[in-house]
DNA sequence: TGAATACTAAACATAATGGTTAAGTATCGA
DNA sequence: TCGATACTTAACCATTATGTTTAGTATTCA
């Protein structure tokens, strides 16, 4: 189950998650809502242009997809992106857990 | 916001994870190794100064801790940071799953 | 057709990131 | 005490990120 995940993709994924507005947008879409850019922008004090670019960052990270529908865009959650980030974290968390006992022993001896 | 988790902390955590060198350092420490900055820098082509700052970014995000030990620093993995990031991802993944299930029921029942 | 809507793109200012080298601090070892 | 070691800090530079405003494109509606 060792998938050679593209480092750049992981970079873009974590970087996309590192901004509160983008996390808020993603959280909203993750609830199942399929929203336009204008609708997504509504809670924010920043310009629509800025929100549009936040959505683009999420899209480039594979966390969100955008489909043109008339003159608006239907933005939707893409579960694969979040799964990718979670997988990376879990891999290393699990590895750590497996080694926890050995580490614990080491710390006792070393300190 | 709704949850207690500091948005800034989450920003720093995800931002810290968004660089391949920092992920590599974190992955190494997550295996249980407690390494000096010099040891951590060894596999990289960048300067020790650059690595030292990467470790600092990880430290500021709560992913790693550094303890002075003689003239070197013992860097160690801090599980809380990774857990924080994973929790955020899981929360929103679960939201989506819950909604999906509800939608599925709705479609089956026709109401 | 012409105005309004829902964006996206371009151009710009400013701040943050990530690298460098040079200099400073603390500790160890002879 | 003096030099080497293991860093950190400072100063600098290039690039990227995030916001702005203005302009452009596509679509809908009167």
């Amino acid at each position: 189950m060792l998938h050679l995940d593209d480092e750049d993709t992981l970079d873009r994924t974590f970087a996309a998650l590192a901004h509160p507005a983008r996390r808020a947008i993603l959280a909203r879409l993750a609830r199942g809502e399929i929203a336009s850019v204008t609708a997504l922008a509504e809670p924010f004090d920043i310009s629509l242009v800025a929100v549009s670019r936040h959505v683009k960052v999420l899209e480039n990270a594979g966390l969100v997809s955008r489909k043109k529908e008339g003159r608006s865009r239907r933005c939707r959650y893409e579960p694969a992106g979040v799964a990718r980030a979670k997988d990376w974290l879990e891999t290393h968390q699990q590895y750590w857990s497996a080694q926890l006992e050995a580490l614990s022993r080491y710390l006792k001896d070393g300190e």
Side-chain angles (χ1 to χ4, degrees), chain A:
Chain A
M1 165 121 178
L2 176 69
H3 45 75
L4 263 263
D5 223 342
D6 191 26
E7 286 285 298
D8 285 352
T9 303
L10 224 35
D11 286 2
R12 281 195 299 273
T13 302
F14 282 123
L17 291 166
H19 193 288
R22 287 193 296 258
R23 280 197 308 277
I25 291 168
L26 189 63
R28 185 170 165 183
L29 296 177
R31 283 181 189 95
E33 190 181 346
I34 298 181
S36 68
V37 175
T38 302
L40 290 174
E42 192 271 328
F44 296 106
D45 278 343
I46 57 175
S47 69
L48 176 71
V49 175
V51 172
S52 174
R53 275 204 316 218
H54 278 309
V55 174
K56 195 179 182 180
V57 169
L58 289 166
E59 194 181 21
N60 289 337
L63 291 159
V64 155
S65 67
R66 227 186 321 198
K67 206 174 82 184
K68 198 175 170 180
E69 184 103 0
R71 60 188 151 173
S72 99
R73 311 290 187 278
R74 293 167 68 80
C75 305
R76 90 166 63 185
Y77 179 65
E78 287 294 333
V82 167
R84 186 188 315 121
K86 222 192 85 184
D87 280 354
W88 191 91
L89 294 172
E90 250 158 22
T91 297
H92 300 291
Q93 203 175 35
Q94 279 171 243
Y95 207 98
W96 181 82
S97 295
Q99 298 291 324
L100 181 60
E101 209 185 333
L103 172 64
S104 180
R105 270 197 306 276
Y106 175 83
L107 289 174
K108 265 181 202 152
D109 295 347
E111 284 189 350

